[in-house]
Amino acid sequence: MDHTPPAFTCMKAIRVERFGGPEVLQLAEIPRPKPGAGEVLVKIHAIGVNPVDTYFRAGANPAITLPWIPGLDAAGVVEELGPGVTTLRPGQRVYTAGTVTGAYAEWTLCAPGQVYPLSDRLSFAQGAGVNVPYATAYRALFHRARVAAGETVLIHGASGGVGLAATQLARAFGLTVIGTAGTERGLDLVRREGAHHAVNHRAADYTKAILALTGGRGVEVILEMLANVNLGKDLPLLAEQGRVVVIGSRGPVEITPRDTMSRDADIRGMSLFNVKGRDLASIHAGLAAAIESGIVRPVIAREFPLAEAAAAHVAVMESGVGGKIVLIP
Ligand code: NAP
């Protein structure tokens, strides 16, 4: 007897059976989830690929049990509400900030608090690029660095998902923006998205160029995407009472602590996974307003079919991507 469920209850998803390289991302046909009490079923139209998805795929998160469907960021339409959900309605366009069952799929279950309305101003592909990049950029600028209009921010790695988000937000909120990228195309993109100045982080004398742009005074804030490479060189670029927010780091680094003493400077870490409650609500309220006023404009670099998730994971870790990588189910 054939025990395969009828086709209408199935869906395609990327199911990880063991942690490892991109090749563990395999397309599978699995039962479509049903929303229980307090759950929302979202039909996914686009999925945002973030570097953190690759770390988790490789086994970096001990809380993940196998088999596992990756993905935090998606955009789509609310299809069905479980009992007790009153804050959303079927047919509503939404983006997700985390899911219950995983975003690399045709449908996903979410808690209501993981689902936010998606403005008609943004496509589904752009909606899939809102959560991790923009929530991280917002958190770094407004909660951790506590920027004030008139300050100068160095966005170190401005051509990627978080960097472009930070560039757009910082420019709109009255900061002077210096953004870095590693290619000519990336430098053009960073300027186009709002940086007053763009500097190549691969050039030998790039720190001199940044100091010169501030008349030797230094920058008030640095958003750092690769602290293990740059933190030691960042500290001498800070103005008095400057702040470095460590957003990304992939290893150890040597610094000279005296560089913080002479400036009363701060090194501030952050993880989006630590943000909860009122802070999280505040970030998404701020982003909703920024989307409505056209400040948030996610840049889509490449789209891959869901079946090519492995290729998307290779691409997201390459340099020179220039925006978001998105999967289309
Ligand atoms: P992404 O889209 O892959 O962008 C990576 C960025 O890093 C690009 O702008 C790239 O520029 C730049 N980069 C490469 N080499 C650099 C160097 N030597 N110095 C400065 N920048 C350099 O990644 P993303 O989504 O923006 O995330 C950026 C980092 O933040 C990742 O490590 C990610 O894991 C981390 N992150 C952390 C949090 C958190 O909560 N703490 C949240 C989101 C992301 P080119 O390609 O032009 O060289």
Side-chain angles (χ1 to χ4, degrees), residues 1-184:
M1 199 171 132
D2 183 6
H3 290 286
T4 314
F8 65 86
T9 62
C10 285
M11 69 171 185
K12 292 193 171 57
I14 296 294
R15 195 165 52 173
V16 172
E17 307 271 357
R18 64 185 168 82
F19 297 118
E23 70 284 353
V24 303
L25 299 172
Q26 293 289 333
L27 193 69
E29 189 91 9
I30 62 170
R32 188 190 307 174
K34 284 284 294 171
E39 288 179 335
V40 182
L41 181 67
V42 176
K43 171 81 178 84
I44 295 178
H45 289 252
I47 302 144
V49 176
N50 291 295
V52 69
D53 301 345
T54 73
Y55 315 150
F56 287 0
R57 181 211 70 224
N61 182 350
I64 292 174
T65 53
L66 298 173
W68 166 71
I69 299 174
L72 304 164
D73 291 1
V77 174
V78 172
E79 182 152 314
E80 199 181 330
L81 302 176
V85 181
T86 56
T87 51
L88 296 155
R89 57 177 168 72
Q92 192 174 3
R93 283 163 50 90
V94 293
Y95 71 90
T96 70
T99 74
V100 174
T101 52
Y104 285 25
E106 292 180 295
W107 280 266
T108 188
L109 284 183
C110 296
Q114 294 174 315
V115 180
Y116 295 89
L118 176 64
S119 162
D120 287 339
R121 276 179 165 275
L122 300 185
S123 67
F124 286 120
Q126 288 179 305
V130 170
N131 174 50
V132 166
Y134 284 86
T136 301
Y138 193 101
R139 175 73 167 172
L141 284 167
F142 300 112
H143 293 179
R144 300 298 288 134
R146 296 182 176 277
V147 293
E151 290 188 319
T152 297
V153 59
L154 168 64
I155 301 175
H156 213 171
S159 50
V162 177
L164 288 168
T167 300
Q168 294 169 356
L169 293 172
R171 175 68 187 243
F173 284 86
L175 285 110
T176 298
V177 180
I178 304 173
T180 78
T183 63
E184 278 308 314

Side-chain angles (χ1 to χ4, degrees), residues 50-52 55 132-133 136 156-163 180-183 186 201-202 206 224-226 229-230 246-250 270-273 316-324:
N50 291 295
V52 69
Y55 315 150
V132 166
T136 301
H156 213 171
S159 50
V162 177
T180 78
T183 63
H201 48 232
R202 298 199 200 291
Y206 82 93
E224 183 51 71
M225 306 303 158
L226 202 55
V229 173
N230 297 323
V246 176
I247 297 175
S249 188
R250 294 177 177 166
M270 67 152 282
S271 168
L272 192 57
F273 293 110
V316 79
M317 298 305 278
E318 285 169 350
S319 63
V321 175
K324 280 304 303 175

